[in-house]
């Protein structure tokens, strides 16, 4: 069974949290001040962008101070009545078991959108009467509906951690998962996530799970982040909807490359549909889709495209019959796309050399790459003098010579004779 790495590696203690050290100190100081007397502000209001560790900091702090944490979130206070029901929790500092208590009202943003206008008022009442630290969390503290509430709160801003701080956390997770990765690679993941720690960890999991080593090529695809969100959305619909039309429609709304999507579906099916019969059905569907793809390619009869799409989407969606829904399975980055992007620069180089050969030898560049290039390689690797002559004749540049020579040293020897 899969667990999300954000859960599996959720910081248990403040030591593991990265960034926002000032905010954390302010919060910890305020909580500790309750030991002496009830402070003027009985609530702390943490605010800031998603995924930077607001919730996790409060949990870790409670853990580090050995406090009991009572957590409530959006679904617990849609109405004033609901808030009043748990108001009593905040009326005591010490608990029956000798711990001190802290109350956390998370995701407070939700309360502003609800029809029941008394919600925020009720929270204010809780704060006014509180006999234990009450922590409130929202993304947008400056929502006008929090105006009065703000006056009763110590406002603490959480900012995005720096790229290096995010990297530090990613590194630690890699260490625990037994994955090696260059700093540069992790830096790229951190940057691409917009320094949202949660989403950086999610990306890391999608790209690195099951690997021993994470390379830069593995993550370079994140450069097109929007595309990833779109694809994940399409996959989610295809794998989880039980409705043919919905599965088909999702493609109309998403602008994704069909061939690439095919790879995504194909490589994720075995992980998503774990029941063998479901899997067989889905693969059958995909093989039919592929058959039509082939026919389109050879006949250019694009009217067949709708069959490809139907088999790819609805066909796979309908295959799910016995696989249990539940548990969370991360989508994986297709190896084939990864491989293609990894070898792209090499393929580029080969075709550029192919063009040079074509010009001189009057063969197609495909033939040049297939039939001429291997011999050139042998010459360039073993005979600098002859290689030099060929390089000059074909008009190869330094990079091409290096590619054919298979190394810098040999390339230097060739270039030297070239003068
Ligand atoms: N600063 C951090 N240090 C270490 N891990 C973090 C940090 N921020 C987020 N995470 C990871 O991301 C997960 C989500 O973080 P958290 O729930 O605290 O975000 P949040 O700021 O409360 O976001 P939201 O505004 O969406 O509620 C955590 O479980 C943890 O694994
Ligand atoms: Mg949160």
């Amino acid at each position: 069974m899969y667990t999300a790495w954000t859960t599996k590696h959720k910081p248990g203690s403040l030591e593991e949290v990265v960034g926002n050290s000032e905010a954390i100190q302010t919060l910890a100081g305020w909580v500790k001040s309750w030991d002496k007397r009830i402070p003027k502000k009985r609530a702390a209001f943490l605010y800031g962008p998603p995924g930077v560790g607001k919730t996790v900091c409060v949990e870790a702090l409670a853990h580090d101070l050995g406090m009991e944490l009572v957590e409530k979130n959006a679904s617990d206070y849609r109405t004033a009545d609901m808030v009043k029901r748990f108001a009593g929790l905040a009326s005591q500092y010490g608990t029956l078991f000798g711990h001190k208590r802290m109350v956390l009202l998370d995701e407070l943003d939700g309360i502003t959108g609800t029809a029941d206008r008394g919600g925020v008022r009720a929270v204010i009442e809780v704060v006014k009467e509180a006999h234990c630290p009450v922590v409130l969390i929202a993304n947008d503290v400056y929502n006008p509906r929090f105006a009065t509430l703000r006056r009763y709160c110590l406002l603490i801003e959480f900012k995005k951690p720096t790229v290096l701080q995010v990297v530090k956390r990613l590194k630690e997770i890699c260490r625990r998962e037994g994955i090696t990765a260059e700093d540069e690679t992790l830096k790229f993941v951190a940057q691409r996530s917009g320094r949202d720690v949660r989403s950086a960890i999610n990306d890391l999991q999608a790209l690195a799970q099951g690997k021993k080593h994470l390379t830069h090529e593995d993550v370079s695809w994140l450069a097109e982040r929007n595309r990833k969100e779109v694809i994940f959305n399409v996959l989610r619909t295809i794998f989880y909807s039980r409705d043919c039309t919905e599965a088909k429609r999702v493609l109309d709304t998403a602008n994704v490359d069909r061939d690439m999507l095919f790879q995504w579906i194909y490589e994720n099916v075995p992980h998503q549909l774990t029941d063998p019969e479901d899997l067989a059905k889905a693969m059958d569907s995909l093989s039919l889709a592929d058959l039509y793809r082939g026919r389109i390619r050879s006949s250019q009869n694009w009217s067949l495209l709708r069959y490809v799409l139907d088999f790819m989407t609805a066909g796979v969606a309908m295959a799910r019959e016995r696989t249990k829904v539940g548990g969370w399975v991360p989508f994986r980055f297709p190896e084939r796309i990864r491989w293609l992007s990894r070898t792209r620069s090499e393929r580029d180089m080969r075709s550029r050399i192919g063009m040079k050969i074509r010009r001189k030898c009057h063969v197609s560049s495909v033939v040049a790459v297939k039939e001429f290039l291997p011999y050139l390689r042998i010459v360039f690797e073993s005979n600098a003098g002859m290689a030099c002559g060929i390089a000059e004749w074909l008009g190869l540049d330094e990079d091409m010579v290096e590619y054919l020579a298979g190394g810098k040293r040999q390339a230097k020897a060739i270039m030297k004779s070239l003068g």
Side-chain angles (χ1 to χ4, degrees):
M1 200 31 83
Y2 290 97
T3 35
W5 283 2
T6 46
T7 311
K8 185 173 170 193
H9 301 295
K10 181 162 141 179
S13 146
L14 281 177
E15 272 173 29
E16 294 177 55
V17 172
V18 294
N20 285 303
S21 55
E22 256 176 59
I24 293 170
Q25 261 175 15
T26 311
L27 176 67
W30 171 80
V31 171
K32 285 181 198 154
S33 78
W34 278 79
D35 276 341
K36 296 191 208 99
R37 68 184 78 83
I38 296 184
K40 230 162 94 200
K41 308 252 165 150
R42 300 188 185 202
F45 201 142
L46 316 188
Y47 64 99
V52 297
K54 298 181 298 298
T55 306
V56 96
C57 275
V58 179
E59 291 170 352
L61 178 67
H63 168 269
D64 290 356
L65 298 177
M67 295 175 81
E68 179 201 64
L69 183 68
V70 183
E71 279 190 72
K72 300 280 168 196
N73 52 39
S75 56
D76 301 317
Y77 36 70
R78 277 193 303 273
T79 63
D81 271 351
M82 292 170 85
V83 177
K84 281 176 193 148
R85 235 172 282 156
F86 64 72
L89 283 169
S91 63
Q92 268 182 328
Y93 189 27
T95 67
L96 218 49
F97 304 104
H99 293 296
K100 287 161 194 163
R101 176 181 286 161
M102 176 158 38
V103 172
L104 168 61
L105 307 186
D106 204 349
E107 299 167 18
L108 217 62
D109 300 279
I111 206 172
T112 58
T114 50
D116 188 285
R117 296 203 143 241
V120 181
R121 272 238 72 82
V123 171
I124 295 174
E125 291 312 311
V126 172
V127 170
K128 273 176 156 170
E129 301 296 319
H131 280 75
C132 75
V134 176
V135 180
L136 312 176
I137 299 183
N139 294 117
D140 178 21
V141 76
Y142 291 105
N143 186 310
R145 290 182 75 178
F146 293 143
T148 316
L149 177 58
R150 279 201 301 270
R151 278 193 250 138
Y152 296 94
C153 301
L154 173 68
L155 299 187
I156 302 179
E157 182 183 8
F158 271 64
K159 298 187 181 129
K160 291 183 173 191
T162 64
V163 167
L164 287 185
Q165 286 165 336
V166 180
V167 167
K168 184 174 166 221
R169 188 64 193 153
L170 296 181
K171 237 182 182 165
E172 171 61 16
I173 292 175
C174 283
R175 192 189 60 75
R176 294 191 200 176
E177 291 287 335
I179 297 162
T180 53
E182 303 280 320
D183 282 8
E184 281 305 305
T185 305
L186 297 180
K187 201 167 146 193
F188 189 74
V189 176
Q191 273 162 345
R192 282 292 141 194
S193 71
R195 285 141 60 208
D196 171 334
V197 188
R198 181 195 289 126
S199 101
I201 296 174
N202 282 337
D203 284 353
L204 182 71
Q205 179 169 18
L207 297 163
Q209 187 155 43
K211 288 199 152 32
K212 286 265 157 282
H213 184 65
L214 185 72
T215 66
H216 202 72
E217 281 84 4
D218 291 335
V219 304
S220 59
W221 196 71
L222 285 180
E224 293 158 82
R225 185 172 177 78
N226 290 339
R227 221 169 55 174
K228 190 199 80 176
E229 299 306 334
V230 172
I231 286 203
F232 277 23
N233 190 26
V234 173
L235 290 182
R236 228 171 278 132
T237 312
I238 291 175
F239 286 122
Y240 296 107
S241 81
R242 309 218 119 207
D243 176 348
C244 261
T245 12
E246 194 190 349
K248 279 163 63 174
R249 206 176 320 123
V250 68
L251 269 195
D252 301 333
T253 54
N255 181 20
V256 286
D257 181 84
R258 306 288 150 86
D259 284 339
M260 183 173 69
L261 185 65
F262 185 89
Q263 285 305 327
W264 273 93
I265 299 173
Y266 172 68
E267 292 201 28
N268 277 287
V269 157
H271 304 290
Q272 298 290 335
L273 300 180
T274 43
D275 179 85
E277 280 186 37
D278 287 3
L279 177 57
K281 263 185 255 153
M283 284 306 201
D284 255 349
S285 232
L286 283 176
S287 74
L288 285 170
D290 196 38
L291 213 68
Y292 281 107
R293 270 204 320 169
R295 281 191 199 152
I296 293 175
R297 222 172 292 137
S298 57
S299 67
Q300 292 296 308
N301 179 359
W302 287 90
S303 67
L304 298 174
L305 184 64
R306 59 202 175 94
Y307 300 113
V308 177
L309 301 182
D310 285 359
F311 281 123
M312 216 161 96
T313 55
V316 173
M318 291 303 108
R320 180 177 217 122
E321 269 183 71
R322 296 142 160 261
T323 302
K324 286 194 192 69
V325 186
W328 172 84
V329 187
F331 292 123
R332 287 170 184 241
F333 191 97
E335 281 306 319
R336 191 174 151 73
I337 296 178
R338 205 196 299 268
W339 177 82
L340 285 175
S341 74
R342 180 154 50 222
T343 55
R344 181 175 304 138
S345 59
E346 172 162 8
R347 282 179 291 131
D348 277 356
M349 173 62 79
R350 291 164 69 89
S351 76
R352 279 196 293 131
I353 297 174
M355 300 291 275
K356 296 275 188 193
I357 301 173
R358 185 179 81 162
R359 219 165 285 146
K360 286 284 181 190
C361 304
H362 311 289
V363 293
S364 77
S365 53
V366 176
V367 169
V369 168
K370 239 194 189 145
E371 296 179 9
F372 290 38
L373 205 134
Y375 293 106
L376 286 182
R377 266 223 122 121
I378 296 171
V379 174
F380 274 64
E381 277 166 9
S382 53
N383 187 336
M386 192 187 279
C388 168
I390 296 176
E392 198 169 15
W393 183 63
L394 287 176
L396 302 183
D397 64 27
E398 226 167 298
D399 290 340
M400 296 173 179
V401 171
E402 186 176 321
Y403 173 75
L404 288 171
K408 278 205 178 357
R409 262 184 59 201
Q410 176 72 354
K412 261 205 190 113
I414 298 170
M415 297 305 285
K416 212 158 75 202
S417 359
L418 206 68

